[in-house]
Amino acid sequence: MSDFTTRPEIRGTFGVATSTHWIASGVGFGILEKGGNAFDAAVACALTLQVVEPHLNGPAGDLPAIFHSVTTGKTEVLCAQGVAPAAATIARYKAQGLPLVPGSGLLATVVPGAFDGWMLMLRDHGSMDLHTVLEPAIFYAREGHPVLPRVAHTIAGLAEYFAQEWPSSAEVWTPGGQAPEPHGIFRNPDLARTYERLVEAGEAAGGPREHQIDAAREAWRSGFVADAIFDYLKDAEVIDVSGDKHGAVLAPSDMANWRATYEPTLSYDYHGWTVHKTQAWSQGPVMLQALSLLKGFDLGAMDPMGADFVHTVIEAMKLAYADREAYYGDPAHSDIPMDHLLSDAYADIRRALITDTASDLQRPGRVPGFEHLAEAYVERAARDFGVAEAVAQEPTMAHLTERRGDTVHLDIIDRWGNMVAATPSGGWLQSSPVIPGLGFALNSRAQMFWLEEGLPTSLAPGRRPRTTLTPSYAEKDGVQLVFGTPGGDQQDQWNLIWFLRFVHFGMGLQECMDAPLFHSMHFQGSFYPREAKPGEMMMEPAFGEDVIADLRSRGHKITVSEPWAIGRLTAALREPDGTLRAAATPRLMQAYAVGR
């Protein structure tokens, strides 16, 4: 274990909060200081992230969380991934001449999920009232915050487009016709007022805190928020990445009838650790599948920064992600053969495909009774991309502005041992126009559906898109760990690499954060335009020229990134004696861990 890291690993016993923005981390820890628990802190942190990272998430976006409650003794998933609207049929989209769901605009919208999910967590597991938890987000939206250079540059790149095509976005993001300056104070008074009105709706309902929170949820789904959304959508047609104008298919009944829910985690045992992920409506199980393959290799005997380690992990990722593309989808609507995909017998067969040479092929496994799904994926890839497989593409509006990242993450542990890992996303400022008067945009998660019948990821009313969002929780001998990262298709690649180094090489949380990262761009991406780059991968230059040359000799097509350019991981850990630890990546110089 190294004596030097880019920043200290936070240690204490009272509480820790780590997230992808220092202000949000401070807000989360501030709630712990006021006597709140991890759930109160997570909600306050997350709503603040909606303000300070609006290019990466918003109130109308998507939310998966994995949490452990001391009160219930359970580790569960909070699913606030909204579903496809009732009118979202393949026939309707194809009738408009669309081969894919656009990656931006109104046709890409599913039911907004994030706000309702956070309120469900607050109601059932938190301890604080609405005003206390929403006050920090209201403050930063109303009084302003130093805008990240990345946000300022994103807005500047879109300013002309907003003015011409999305005037409601121009009013919020370029007030007075000017994009914000990097580190300048930026305010979103419409969003502040939306949050305030939700608090007011709750307080007006009176009664216990749970009743007030439910009243705010009702104001969101059927009250003034829904009214503003559908007053806008009833006439709106806006240009999207298809180059044409389209209206929305989302209807008031879609929002009014949907609720965030809880469900069990999916888990896998690896070297004494039990790793918990979401079900197959997210890509979470892909990390478990990769672990099942890697369990058959002696990774601990490899150099964690060496070519053997990188090659073995990359090749396992290719196989796991091929199965993601063939078999994953909403388990409420499709039969997902997850027991088979995570079985030892299946892993043994698949592991034999990993050789000393990099594969350029897309190779989903053949699951008895589901072979048609593997064949459909291979055929689709060959048809669309001319290869026997189908770049992990970052979301949307790439034709107009540079985008890096697409999501946020937070990990929080309180002094009692409650733990939350959450990866909110969607509602990006660059992917959908602002709803007038509300200060936020709708999501564009429907782009992850396919417009062809018979797949677990086929567009269908009421179905959850197979999202990339994937928080993690792991436990071993009383040690509990929460971790995650933004990054679209790369999330479970970076999560996997970080976890493997932590488990096999005695590296600390922060040391794992600082170590160089890599990822594959081999498989078909989740975001419009759903591209792939067979055999290609990206890695940071800190691996060194010898390692990069070795990997190239094995057939890997390598793009070397800028230094410190890959991954946005955060993590927090609780020891059996109550000692807490937390860390955050130094990359982009904005993630931070706080604790004592």
Side-chain angles (χ1 to χ4, degrees):
M1 187 170 174
S2 172
D3 293 328
F4 175 80
T5 55
T6 58
R7 53 180 68 173
E9 185 169 297
I10 301 300
R11 293 174 182 264
T13 56
F14 177 80
V16 290
T18 181
S19 81
T20 48
H21 196 292
W22 70 91
I23 288 177
S25 298
V27 165
F29 190 74
I31 292 292
L32 297 180
E33 292 276 23
K34 292 178 181 178
N37 63 25
F39 306 107
D40 301 311
V43 176
C45 176
L47 295 177
T48 302
L49 285 169
Q50 294 171 0
V51 177
V52 298
E53 293 196 274
H55 61 317
L56 306 180
N57 79 134
D62 323 283
L63 165 65
I66 296 180
F67 64 94
H68 178 78
S69 167
V70 174
T71 301
T72 66
K74 295 180 179 179
T75 301
E76 297 180 273
V77 170
L78 169 66
C79 177
Q81 174 54 65
V83 301
T89 63
I90 291 174
R92 182 164 185 164
Y93 283 61
K94 290 222 167 191
Q96 300 183 64
L98 294 167
L100 295 170
V101 178
S104 65
L106 302 178
L107 273 181
T109 297
V110 299
V111 175
F115 181 80
D116 190 72
W118 288 121
M119 292 299 101
L120 181 64
M121 175 179 284
L122 182 65
R123 185 195 73 182
D124 293 347
H125 299 282
S127 64
M128 289 181 158
D129 60 59
L130 270 171
H131 179 267
T132 301
V133 173
L134 268 71
E135 191 279 330
I138 293 170
F139 172 85
Y140 286 110
R142 183 183 61 237
E143 303 300 328
H145 59 92
V147 67
L148 293 167
R150 195 169 299 274
V151 180
H153 296 153
T154 297
I155 294 171
L158 289 163
E160 182 178 352
Y161 181 83
F162 284 165
Q164 293 177 355
E165 302 293 348
W166 295 358
S168 60
S169 293
E171 290 178 12
V172 169
W173 305 118
T174 57
Q178 297 296 315
E181 292 294 324
H183 304 301
I185 299 301
F186 182 79
R187 299 172 178 85
N188 187 343
D190 285 350
L191 181 59
R193 184 58 187 146
T194 297
Y195 288 144
E196 288 174 333
R197 290 184 67 186
L198 288 165
V199 172
E200 291 165 2
E203 293 177 342
R209 58 178 292 281
E210 294 84 358
H211 183 71
Q212 295 185 28
I213 293 168
D214 276 339
R217 296 172 74 196
E218 189 63 26
W220 171 272
R221 72 169 63 95
S222 299
F224 78 93
V225 172
D227 290 344
I229 289 173
F230 294 107
D231 282 349
Y232 173 68
L233 293 184
K234 69 178 185 292
D235 297 318
E237 288 193 345
V238 303
I239 198 166
D240 55 43
V241 294
S242 72
D244 295 322
K245 289 187 175 183
H246 297 104
V249 296
L250 187 71
S253 57
D254 296 315
M255 244 181 111
N257 295 332
W258 183 85
R259 306 287 187 276
T261 55
Y262 302 114
E263 62 183 48
T265 64
L266 184 68
S267 64
Y268 185 80
D269 291 335
Y270 181 82
H271 285 267
W273 287 87
T274 300
V275 184
H276 296 260
K277 300 292 286 187
T278 55
Q279 302 287 338
W281 51 267
S282 98
Q283 74 177 9
V286 81
M287 179 175 166
L288 305 184
Q289 281 199 254
L291 290 174
S292 75
L293 296 170
L294 294 169
K295 191 158 63 172
F297 293 93
D298 188 5
L299 294 183
M302 301 178 186
D303 177 354
M305 315 304 165
D308 287 343
F309 177 83
V310 175
H311 171 80
T312 304
V313 173
I314 279 283
E315 293 305 300
M317 286 174 179
K318 291 176 183 177
L319 296 174
Y321 273 83
D323 282 350
R324 181 196 76 168
E325 286 305 295
Y327 298 115
Y328 290 16
D330 187 348
H333 285 251
S334 299
D335 187 8
I336 312 297
M338 193 53 65
D339 288 345
H340 189 92
L341 294 173
L342 289 176
S343 68
D344 289 343
Y346 183 73
D348 290 344
I349 295 170
R350 300 284 281 158
R351 190 181 303 116
L353 297 175
I354 299 176
T355 68
D356 291 335
T357 302
S359 173
D360 282 348
L361 301 176
Q362 185 66 299
R363 297 181 290 182
R366 267 51 178 181
V367 178
F370 295 83
E371 294 91 346
H372 63 289
L373 296 178
E375 294 301 329
Y377 175 45
V378 171
E379 290 173 9
R380 180 173 71 242
R383 179 193 69 219
D384 293 346
F385 302 101
V387 294
E389 63 188 291
V391 31
Q393 188 77 12
E394 290 302 329
T396 63
M397 308 302 278
H399 63 306
L400 296 172
T401 185
E402 179 189 26
R403 272 197 47 79
R404 294 180 184 172
D406 63 320
T407 301
V408 299
H409 186 80
L410 62 90
D411 300 298
I412 297 180
I413 310 175
D414 64 29
R415 56 186 155 169
W416 302 286
N418 298 301
M419 310 179 72
V420 180
T423 314
S425 186
W428 307 304
L429 69 85
Q430 61 271 55
S431 296
S432 192
V434 165
I435 303 300
L438 296 183
F440 64 80
L442 297 175
N443 63 76
S444 53
R445 192 62 60 176
Q447 66 185 288
M448 295 182 175
F449 288 115
W450 289 104
L451 296 181
E452 54 187 278
E453 302 286 357
L455 307 175
T457 47
S458 299
L459 178 66
R463 177 175 283 179
R464 288 173 286 187
R466 196 277 300 143
T467 180
T468 54
L469 308 174
T470 174
S472 305
Y473 170 91
E475 54 188 339
K476 177 185 180 183
D477 300 332
V479 178
Q480 298 167 283
L481 173 67
V482 283
F483 60 100
T485 178
D489 292 304
Q490 291 93 328
Q491 285 180 34
D492 272 314
Q493 303 191 62
W494 299 335
N495 282 331
L496 174 68
I497 298 161
W498 183 92
F499 182 70
L500 291 171
R501 287 172 171 162
F502 176 76
V503 167
H504 289 290
F505 302 104
M507 298 170 67
L509 301 184
Q510 190 63 48
E511 188 179 7
C512 288
M513 298 287 167
D514 294 351
L517 286 167
F518 57 91
H519 60 260
S520 173
M521 301 183 293
H522 168 85
F523 49 85
Q524 194 159 23
S526 299
F527 297 95
Y528 186 95
R530 312 301 297 269
E531 292 178 324
K533 294 184 177 179
E536 296 198 23
M537 61 177 290
M538 180 176 287
M539 57 194 309
E540 291 182 312
F543 280 99
E545 293 181 1
D546 289 346
V547 170
I548 294 169
D550 186 329
L551 290 165
R552 284 177 170 151
S553 73
R554 304 184 195 208
H556 295 282
K557 304 167 189 174
I558 298 174
T559 298
V560 180
S561 73
E562 294 297 316
W564 298 98
I566 296 178
R568 295 183 65 203
L569 283 146
T570 69
L573 179 148
R574 185 178 191 271
E575 303 280 6
D577 66 357
T579 299
L580 305 177
R581 299 159 55 189
T585 183
R587 293 164 178 85
L588 304 187
M589 295 191 294
Q590 64 185 64
Y592 235 86
V594 184
R596 67 171 176 85

